[in-house]
Amino acid sequence: NAGVTQTPKFQVLKTGQSMTLQCAQDMNHEYMSWYRQDPGMGLRLIHYSVGAGITDQGEVPNGYNVSRSTTEDFPLRLLSAAPSQTSVYFCASGADPWRHGYTFGSGTRLTVV
Amino acid sequence: GENVEQHPSTLSVQEGDSAVIKCTYSDSASNYFPWYKQELGKRPQLIIDIRSNVGEKKDQRIAVTLNKTAKHFSLHITETQPEDSAVYFCAASIAGGNNRLAFGKGNQVVVIP
C-alpha cells in the first residue's frame, strides 16, 4: 500500500512549456484534489474530483487542467507554464474527507524560469 | 465561500510549555475540522480532527476544542518537544462542497530546547 504517489518530485520548466504532474493512489479513494502551496498562502485548491469521470474547479484553477479517467489516477496538466506557477504542488485523496480528512502525497516542487 | 483564518502566524514556545493555535471559520454550516502538521520539506499529515457534534477531542499530548457559537476551534499541544516544531494547518469543511476542505494559511510553531 503506497498511499498517494506523486511524480516527479522536482521539475524545472521554461516559460511556455507544458507538462503533467502525475498522482496515483492505491487506496480506492473516490475523492482526490490538487493543491498548491506558496509561502504565506497556505494550501489553495486547484481542482478536485469526486469520482472517476467527475472533476471541478477549486479556487485557483486558471492555467491548469485535470482529468479522472480511473479511480486511481488524477493528473494535473500545466498548459503553458508561467513563473507565477512556481510552487509546491500536493495531490491528496480521501475515502470520506469530511470524516477522515485527506491523505497527501509527498509533493512536486515546480520552478518555472 | 468558507474563510478560515489562523492566529498567530508564528508561535515560539519553550520546550515543555504548552502551545495553543486558534482558527476561526466563517460558515456556520461547516461540520468537520481537521488539523494537519507539516514538517519542513514534508507532506501535510492529519494529526487530529473534530466534528461539530463534539466539543473536545484528545490524543495523547494534543487536543482540539470547538466553539460552534463563536465559530472557532483550537489546537492544544502540551509538554511541547522539539519534534513538535512544524507548520500547523487548520481546515474546515465547505458546506455543500463535495467533501472539499478550506485550509488556513498555517502557523509556524517553533519549540525552543
Side-chain angles (χ1 to χ4, degrees), chain A residues 45-105:
Chain A
L45 183 63
I46 305 171
H47 285 285
Y48 67 98
S49 171
V50 300
I54 307 170
T55 64
D56 206 345
Q57 297 181 351
E59 59 180 303
V60 289
N62 292 341
Y64 308 95
N65 273 354
V66 291
S67 60
R68 186 93 181 273
S69 57
T70 66
T71 299
E72 294 77 20
D73 299 299
F74 191 42
L76 177 72
R77 297 182 187 84
L78 278 71
L79 309 173
S80 177
S84 61
Q85 293 179 305
T86 293
S87 187
V88 179
Y89 291 85
F90 287 100
C91 177
S93 74
D96 191 356
W98 282 0
R99 289 190 177 274
H100 306 296
Y102 277 98
T103 299
F104 283 82

Side-chain angles (χ1 to χ4, degrees), chain A residues 25-41:
Chain A
Q25 52 92 7
D26 60 359
M27 298 173 284
N28 202 32
H29 288 168
E30 289 297 321
Y31 299 92
M32 297 187 74
S33 297
W34 275 102
Y35 293 88
R36 61 176 289 174
Q37 183 176 26
D38 303 291
M41 299 297 291

